[in-house]
Amino acid sequence: MERAKPFPTRRRLLQGAALAAIPYAVLPATRADAEPHAVDYPTAEWASASRSNYTAADRPSRYPVELVIIHVTQTAYAGTLDIFLNPKKKVSAHYVVRSADGHVAQCVRERDVAWHAGNWDYNTRSVGIEHEGWVDKPAYFTDALYEESARLTSSVCDRYGIPKDRSRIIGHYEVPGTDHTDPGPHWDWTRYLRLVNSV
């Protein structure tokens, strides 16, 4: 016959509770400024830029959002995300679109000012979209990249009432004071605007 095990004493119960609480006392608390990984574009993946690479804002209350600026990364998709994560680079964009499949990463919330245009006024009034590739390698401008980028741009324009035309959807090369040439001569603006307007 098995002997009944004695019940734990009150002291043992309190010691057990104290031991169980230790990991919670040692682990760091959630930061008060921690931001949920929400995205502004529903199919985007959150891939945060360093907080040192953009300006927190309250757009469109503080600055109107009036433009979409099209960029080409001049590096690979993963390399672009690494650059935006590096606090020493002082650069970011709201979105990055991958060439192979059109996958979209959001790196900066649309309410914040990404540092992508090289012109503070244009940064405050725009959403920047980087596209994986090189200006002199048109093979990177795939159907998937054009189509998903067009859906993204159309969505941004709808959210802020931006006209879906070339006066408001511009290339980086059109920003005053820039020395950039992207998206370059191989970017098909006619096709792109047609896709933006047909979504």
Side-chain angles (χ1 to χ4, degrees), residues 69-125:
I69 300 179
I70 303 300
H71 301 269
V72 172
T73 62
Q74 294 298 109
T75 191
Y77 174 86
T80 303
L81 298 181
D82 287 344
I83 289 167
F84 292 171
L85 196 54
N86 182 339
K88 295 178 181 176
K89 294 295 185 178
K90 305 299 183 200
V91 66
S92 64
H94 293 94
Y95 296 98
V96 181
V97 183
R98 190 164 54 204
S99 174
D101 57 4
H103 179 78
V104 175
Q106 183 169 2
C107 304
V108 176
R109 296 295 306 271
E110 290 176 11
R111 69 175 177 239
D112 296 325
V113 178
W115 301 345
H116 60 97
N119 176 312
W120 178 248
D121 179 50
Y122 275 67
N123 281 342
T124 63
R125 298 187 296 120

Side-chain angles (χ1 to χ4, degrees), residues 9-49:
T9 65
R10 182 172 184 266
R11 181 182 180 129
R12 287 261 187 218
L13 286 172
L14 291 173
Q15 285 174 334
L19 287 172
I22 287 174
Y24 297 101
V26 175
L27 292 174
T30 303
R31 289 188 348 226
D33 64 345
E35 213 176 313
H37 295 275
V39 291
D40 298 302
Y41 183 63
T43 61
E45 166 194 10
W46 181 250
S48 182

Side-chain angles (χ1 to χ4, degrees), residues 2-3 18 75 92 121 157 186 190:
E2 190 174 333
R3 285 191 345 188
T75 191
S92 64
D121 179 50
C157 289
H186 301 292
T190 302

Side-chain angles (χ1 to χ4, degrees), residues 69-70 166 170-176 178 180-184 189:
I69 300 179
I70 303 300
R166 283 288 284 125
I170 66 172
H172 192 183
Y173 72 95
E174 295 172 283
V175 174
T178 188
H180 288 253
T181 62
D182 55 315
W189 282 107

